[in-house]
Amino acid sequence: MFKKIMFFSFAFFGMSLMALYTVKYENDHMLEMVNTIDGPFVVLELFTSQGCSSCPPADRVLEKVKKEFPETVFALSYHVDYWDYIGWKDPFAKSSYTKKQSNYNRKFGSPNNYTPQLVVNGKEHFVGSNQSKAYSKIGYYTSQTTENSVAILDTQRLRDKISFKYSTTGDLSHKLLRAVLVIDEHTTQVKRGENRNRTLRNSNIVVNERYIDLESQTGSSSIAIPALVTPTDDLTLMLLMESESLDITAAAKIQINN
């Protein structure tokens, strides 16, 4: 009798574990689907510069939230070029990123560009070193519903470009798809300018981006890998859906293997 009781106890315990594992697998799978297809997201676009002494604290905030919220936060570091005149030419700065910042500030009614500026989902902005506000906005936007979704499919890294397919849902009228290629992390020894003799670490540095017309729910495209990317750099590809008013309505990302 004792052996029978033990047998049924172990059998019941085994079935319970299997049931728990099945529920956990399904829940994890559903969470993955929500995060990668149509779940809430927070796109943080930091306008920064290695020539700006006020920027390193904001760079650290971006790196911190990127690591704490790897699924829902889409961290982007846009290096602007208007600090280059001080003495240090930021190797990642582009005039097109300065223009992007100006477009945002026209939308926000802000008279001038400034660094560090953090733009959230294309809808609002604040000083990028304000960590408490960053966490507050992450909490707010991860509780919102989304009007679109985008998924990245069939990525392939070639010698000088990354090709990919995409799939979208929702209303696509008056919207574009923005493909963004970022270096996950880079450390720079700054020799001149306001940050001279400092070692700066930047996260999710935007090195290229392009816009794609959305003519249908699915499609394929590619983005060039610029010459400043080294073979050892870890890359991430992001796709952001953007409205005419610069609001970001969907986001997806995938790491690109070397």
Side-chain angles (χ1 to χ4, degrees):
M1 177 64 71
F2 177 73
K3 290 183 178 179
K4 275 188 177 179
I5 293 173
M6 288 293 291
F7 172 79
F8 285 118
S9 297
F10 280 118
F12 178 77
F13 180 70
M15 286 187 291
S16 300
L17 281 180
M18 182 60 71
L20 287 172
Y21 174 80
T22 301
V23 169
K24 183 180 186 305
Y25 172 81
E26 289 177 351
N27 288 342
D28 287 349
H29 183 65
M30 288 175 64
L31 181 60
E32 179 183 357
M33 293 295 288
V34 167
N35 283 339
T36 57
I37 295 180
D38 59 357
F41 64 90
V42 187
V43 177
L44 300 178
E45 298 174 84
L46 176 66
F47 292 92
T48 184
S49 171
Q50 292 182 355
C52 162
S53 60
S54 301
C55 287
D59 297 329
R60 290 192 291 271
V61 170
L62 192 74
E63 180 182 19
K64 189 173 190 293
V65 297
K66 163 195 167 181
K67 291 180 177 178
E68 287 188 24
F69 306 96
E71 300 298 327
T72 52
V73 167
F74 292 69
L76 296 169
S77 180
Y78 284 96
H79 289 229
V80 295
D81 65 347
Y82 48 83
W83 287 104
D84 288 359
Y85 77 96
I86 290 181
W88 175 254
K89 182 174 173 54
D90 189 325
F92 300 107
K94 286 187 177 183
S95 60
S96 59
Y97 302 158
T98 299
K99 183 178 179 181
K100 175 183 287 292
Q101 186 182 24
S102 297
N103 290 339
Y104 271 134
N105 283 322
R106 275 194 293 272
K107 171 185 176 176
F108 300 141
S110 183
N112 299 302
N113 288 348
Y114 68 92
T115 55
Q117 181 181 23
L118 194 62
V119 176
V120 188
N121 282 14
K123 297 179 178 180
E124 57 180 303
H125 71 107
F126 53 90
V127 175
S129 54
N130 190 333
Q131 180 172 296
S132 62
K133 195 160 189 177
Y135 277 93
S136 173
K137 295 304 176 182
I138 290 170
Y140 172 76
Y141 282 103
T142 51
S143 68
Q144 304 302 299
T145 57
T146 58
E147 60 182 279
N148 292 104
S149 71
V150 58
I152 305 172
L153 312 166
D154 299 333
T155 57
Q156 184 179 8
R157 180 171 182 166
L158 305 174
R159 183 180 60 83
D160 59 351
K161 68 178 180 180
I162 294 168
S163 63
F164 57 90
K165 294 180 182 179
Y166 59 86
S167 175
T168 63
T169 66
D171 183 8
L172 304 183
S173 57
H174 308 292
K175 290 172 184 170
L176 295 171
L177 202 60
R178 190 198 327 170
V180 188
L181 187 64
V182 305
I183 293 176
D184 291 351
E185 187 175 283
H186 192 275
T187 301
T188 305
Q189 302 285 338
V190 178
K191 299 178 181 178
R192 293 179 296 279
E194 290 188 354
N195 289 314
R196 62 186 177 276
N197 299 325
R198 296 183 66 178
T199 299
L200 302 182
R201 185 169 64 192
N202 300 111
S203 294
N204 281 26
I205 308 163
V206 178
V207 292
N208 197 14
E209 70 174 12
R210 60 165 303 197
Y211 282 87
I212 303 164
D213 290 327
L214 284 171
E215 299 177 352
S216 64
Q217 299 284 357
T218 61
S220 61
S221 189
S222 64
I223 187 168
I225 302 174
L228 59 80
V229 174
T230 69
T232 59
D233 286 328
D234 293 324
L235 300 176
T236 296
L237 172 66
M238 299 189 191
L239 293 185
L240 311 177
M241 195 178 297
E242 188 175 299
S243 70
E244 283 183 325
S245 62
L246 306 183
D247 290 353
I248 298 173
T249 63
K253 59 184 172 182
I254 188 170
Q255 289 189 320
I256 305 298
N257 295 326
N258 290 327

